[in-house]
Amino acid sequence: MPAVIVDCAIYRDGRRIERPDDLSDALDEARASHDAFLWIGLHEPTEEEFDRVREEFGLHPLAVEDALRAHQRPKLEVYDDSLFAVLKPIVYEPESDTVSADELMVFIGDAFVVTVRHGEGAPLAAVRQRLESEPEVLKHGPTAVLYAISDAVVDHYMDVAGELQVDLEELETQVFAPTGSGDSKNTAARIYTFKRQVLEFRRAAGPLTAPMARLSAAGVPFVHEHAQPFFRDVADHLTRANEQVEGLDRLLSDILSAHLAQMGVRQNDDMRKISAWAAMAAVPTMVAGIYGMNFDNMPELHWPWTYPVVVALMALAVYGLYRLFKRRGWL
């Protein structure tokens, strides 16, 4: 167990008092006091490692199965002895401009909090330190921990949405540059990759709306009766993040359509240029073809000025077509 336990402590009246060696004794001690609770944090435990925690805290088998397997949608489940919440923190990599989602499970009971983290993108050390520096918040027990974790995850959603907004503005500049994109295939691939990042964001943030709305209402077991305004604030921030990412998705669709339209316009311009050059080449080709025919009665073949006149006429015809196409914007 020490390998997977990130931190474990008893909190009484909002203050950390000790790191227990035995989970059973620590839980009994926390339950014996009305102002204390036990908070244990785990990182990617195996089934065997989690068995002891499950037995000591009486966690529901279905919730345990979800916590071990991961790959869950954000949700909130109420069981007889605990409340089970799943959140998906977002990780943004500025070097590669990619978004990925980890998973964070939170069990809340009468006098305990168990957090199970999958991935490296949801460290709870900062949340725990912030709560320990605010005992007036932490003294509200497990509810305060769930609120702080939810608030930290949703606030990071806002930060990632801001980073994606900056990336989108750069992409817009590239697509709508006056000179056009130098590599249309690369631009289209970048737009599609961007849409995949936004989709990953929406899969993490969108389903969390229902659990936050439920926590914002009264009557949720194991949640402090006066915590609704705080969860409503988290739900409001989540709504703003979802609206922002939906706007990004719509803009990406518009940018992709505009890029494809630009590619069609460029292809039409190229075809007009090719057609113009082909038309100019067709005139001398036609004249040369006429004089290349083996007819006996072609009197102009015997005129002394025939060759320079014909060449001059071909040059004038080509020049006239060039000026015509140039004036119409085909060249």
Side-chain angles (χ1 to χ4, degrees):
M1 286 297 294
V4 298
I5 294 180
V6 179
D7 200 352
C8 180
I10 296 177
Y11 296 89
R12 178 176 291 117
D13 196 26
R15 300 185 183 279
R16 183 173 182 141
I17 59 174
E18 63 178 304
R19 178 185 175 96
D21 295 327
D22 185 87
L23 293 180
S24 180
D25 294 341
L27 183 59
D28 292 339
E29 180 181 347
R31 284 173 171 167
S33 176
H34 296 291
D35 58 352
F37 70 95
L38 174 65
W39 182 1
I40 177 173
L42 307 175
H43 180 241
E44 297 183 354
T46 63
E47 184 175 355
E48 293 76 14
E49 293 170 335
F50 201 61
D51 276 343
R52 184 183 174 191
V53 177
R54 176 184 59 81
E55 294 173 358
E56 294 292 345
F57 293 91
L59 304 179
H60 196 279
L62 293 178
V64 171
E65 181 180 359
D66 290 343
L68 292 174
R69 289 186 177 181
H71 303 294
Q72 304 295 318
R73 285 168 54 90
K75 62 180 180 178
L76 182 69
E77 299 286 350
V78 178
Y79 298 101
D80 294 336
D81 299 324
S82 63
L83 183 72
F84 178 61
V86 178
L87 300 94
K88 294 181 76 69
I90 289 294
V91 180
Y92 175 78
E93 296 293 341
E95 294 81 8
S96 57
D97 295 334
T98 57
V99 173
S100 59
D102 292 330
E103 294 196 35
L104 180 61
M105 287 75 172
V106 183
F107 294 88
I108 290 182
D110 54 350
F112 67 86
V113 177
V114 178
T115 55
V116 181
R117 181 164 57 92
H118 292 268
E120 301 297 333
L124 295 178
V127 176
R128 189 186 287 260
Q129 291 174 2
R130 180 166 65 86
L131 282 174
E132 290 178 355
S133 66
E134 300 175 351
E136 68 280 0
V137 176
L138 193 56
K139 70 180 182 180
H140 291 93
T143 300
V145 177
L146 179 59
Y147 161 71
I149 293 174
S150 303
D151 186 56
V153 169
V154 173
D155 283 348
H156 193 58
Y157 285 170
M158 300 291 291
D159 296 337
V160 174
E163 296 288 347
L164 291 177
Q165 181 67 43
V166 173
D167 292 343
L168 179 62
E169 291 173 359
E170 295 177 356
L171 186 60
E172 282 181 317
T173 302
Q174 177 184 351
V175 172
F176 297 108
T179 56
S181 175
D183 190 347
S184 298
K185 291 183 178 180
N186 183 60
T187 301
R190 186 179 177 190
I191 295 173
Y192 180 76
T193 302
F194 205 133
K195 286 185 70 69
R196 293 290 303 175
Q197 311 310 315
V198 172
L199 177 61
E200 187 72 18
F201 193 116
R202 296 184 68 177
R203 286 176 176 173
L208 189 58
T209 302
M212 287 298 105
R214 189 175 179 184
L215 289 170
S216 302
V220 180
F222 307 105
V223 176
H224 197 278
E225 58 182 359
H226 299 301
Q228 284 75 31
F230 299 96
F231 284 109
R232 278 198 296 269
D233 181 68
V234 177
D236 179 64
H237 291 174
L238 178 61
T239 300
R240 289 167 54 191
N242 282 326
E243 289 176 351
Q244 188 171 357
V245 76
E246 287 175 4
L248 292 176
D249 190 46
R250 288 194 297 269
L251 283 174
L252 278 171
S253 297
D254 294 340
I255 291 174
L256 180 59
S257 299
H259 176 65
L260 294 177
Q262 285 181 334
M263 290 181 62
V265 171
R266 295 190 191 108
Q267 289 175 351
N268 289 336
D269 290 341
D270 294 340
M271 288 301 299
R272 286 192 299 181
K273 291 178 180 179
I274 294 173
S275 300
W277 287 110
M280 288 188 293
V283 172
T285 301
M286 180 186 66
V287 175
I290 292 174
Y291 283 95
M293 293 184 292
N294 297 320
F295 292 144
D296 293 332
N297 298 318
M298 294 183 71
E300 62 270 16
L301 294 178
H302 303 286
W303 296 347
W305 296 99
T306 299
Y307 177 76
V309 170
V310 170
V311 171
L313 288 175
M314 287 192 296
L316 287 174
V318 172
Y319 179 72
L321 289 174
Y322 175 81
R323 291 295 302 273
L324 176 64
F325 293 142
K326 191 73 173 179
R327 186 166 55 250
R328 293 187 177 183
W330 285 36
L331 293 174

